[in-house]
Amino acid sequence: MLTLNFTKFPLLETERLILREHSLTDAEALYDMRTNETVMKYIDRERPKDLLEIKTFISTFNQGFENGDNLAWVIALKENPNQMIGSIGYWRTDYANHRAEIGYMLHPDYWRKGIISEALKRTIDFGFNDMNLHTIKANINVENDASRQILIKQGFVKEAHFKQDYYFRGKFLDSEIYGLLNPKH
Ligand SMILES: CC(C)(COP(=O)(O)OP(=O)(O)OC[C@H]1O[C@@H](n2cnc3c(N)ncnc32)[C@H](O)[C@@H]1OP(=O)(O)O)[C@@H](O)C(=O)NCCC(=O)NCCS
């Protein structure tokens, strides 16, 4: 059985990080990241218009957790757990096939310190051992070399390259799909 409807949001810890539930007080930090063109360079999604839209977004994925559709964590440093520095989570859960898509982003002040690698290790472990996922998928913009390198370092393998399968801002973009199999299955 795929388990995504936890009764309590799963708070996770790593050596340096706390992975916690989103709160409306994270709205500004999330808005700053999702409107920062350096962060969003390879994330082909519309930017939020205002803080209200971000607050609705936070409420939607907190409800998504309650419905069992997704599981998204705020990344914070242990020494400052209220300050959101990034996010990581599972989206578009495919229940029938025990498969979910992972996504992540980090504020540029914290890049290249191994933070996403650390968060990814913990959430992959959680995905396989607590959610009972069979496979984890990641979908990247083909130019996102940083994300590609992270996935490869975590053991993901390239599974597909879809040509012009995604329409964004007047263009049809290619997608690269990476996958990781549950080693215990
Ligand atoms: C991609 C991103 C999440 C990386 O986070 P990070 O915490 O800086 O990554 P890490 O420090 O864990 O990096 C692990 C490895 O990934 C690769 N990597 C990370 N950033 C890189 C970059 N800018 N260029 C090339 N390789 C990079 C390196 O191999 C790195 O190992 P190394 O530092 O020992 O060389 C971050 O740059 C980001 O938020 N980018 C914008 C959002 C985004 O593109 N998200 C992914 C959408 S699919």
Side-chain angles (χ1 to χ4, degrees):
M1 243 287 277
L2 184 65
T3 322
L4 208 58
N5 52 344
F6 300 96
T7 46
K8 204 163 148 265
F9 188 90
L11 179 75
L12 305 181
E13 259 185 56
T14 66
E15 195 188 332
R16 290 177 292 173
L17 311 172
I18 294 275
L19 307 180
R20 61 163 172 83
E21 191 172 14
H22 285 75
S23 135
L24 288 177
T25 55
D26 298 313
E28 260 175 59
L30 187 56
Y31 180 80
D32 285 350
M33 269 190 295
R34 289 203 163 247
T35 53
N36 178 325
E37 287 307 320
T38 307
V39 175
M40 297 301 286
K41 188 165 178 196
Y42 304 117
I43 299 188
D44 306 305
R45 303 251 166 227
E46 282 312 336
R47 294 20 174 175
K49 281 192 306 292
D50 49 31
L51 270 182
L52 183 66
E53 193 179 320
I54 278 287
K55 286 183 180 165
T56 309
F57 185 68
I58 291 177
S59 306
T60 311
F61 53 69
N62 284 345
Q63 278 160 18
F65 164 69
E66 283 158 26
N67 306 334
D69 292 338
N70 60 48
L71 189 47
W73 290 270
V74 161
I75 302 175
L77 294 172
K78 273 185 177 164
E79 65 252 30
N80 195 0
N82 292 330
Q83 181 58 52
M84 173 183 203
I85 63 164
S87 59
I88 190 161
Y90 290 107
W91 312 94
R92 285 179 273 278
T93 311
D94 174 359
Y95 275 87
N97 300 306
H98 287 219
R99 182 167 172 85
E101 181 174 329
I102 200 156
Y104 37 81
M105 65 169 63
L106 187 67
H107 189 283
D109 287 355
Y110 302 90
W111 284 6
R112 236 37 209 270
K113 299 174 196 292
I115 287 181
I116 290 296
S117 300
E118 194 171 316
L120 204 46
K121 261 195 200 78
R122 184 67 191 91
T123 44
I124 290 171
D125 178 72
F126 186 83
F128 285 150
N129 295 314
D130 297 273
M131 289 159 67
N132 200 24
L133 291 171
H134 182 62
T135 58
I136 299 173
K137 159 187 174 180
N139 181 341
I140 66 165
N141 176 310
V142 294
E143 287 171 20
N144 198 347
D145 200 44
S147 192
R148 178 186 293 109
Q149 293 313 321
I150 287 185
L151 293 168
I152 291 171
K153 283 188 173 170
Q154 296 297 322
F156 280 76
V157 170
K158 183 173 166 183
E159 293 183 339
H161 181 134
F162 291 116
K163 286 190 184 280
Q164 302 189 17
D165 69 322
Y166 185 70
Y167 183 76
F168 181 65
R169 291 183 172 170
K171 285 188 185 148
F172 290 97
L173 306 174
D174 287 7
S175 323
E176 237 175 77
I177 307 298
Y178 283 78
L180 186 67
L181 307 188
N182 188 330
K184 293 191 183 148
H185 284 191

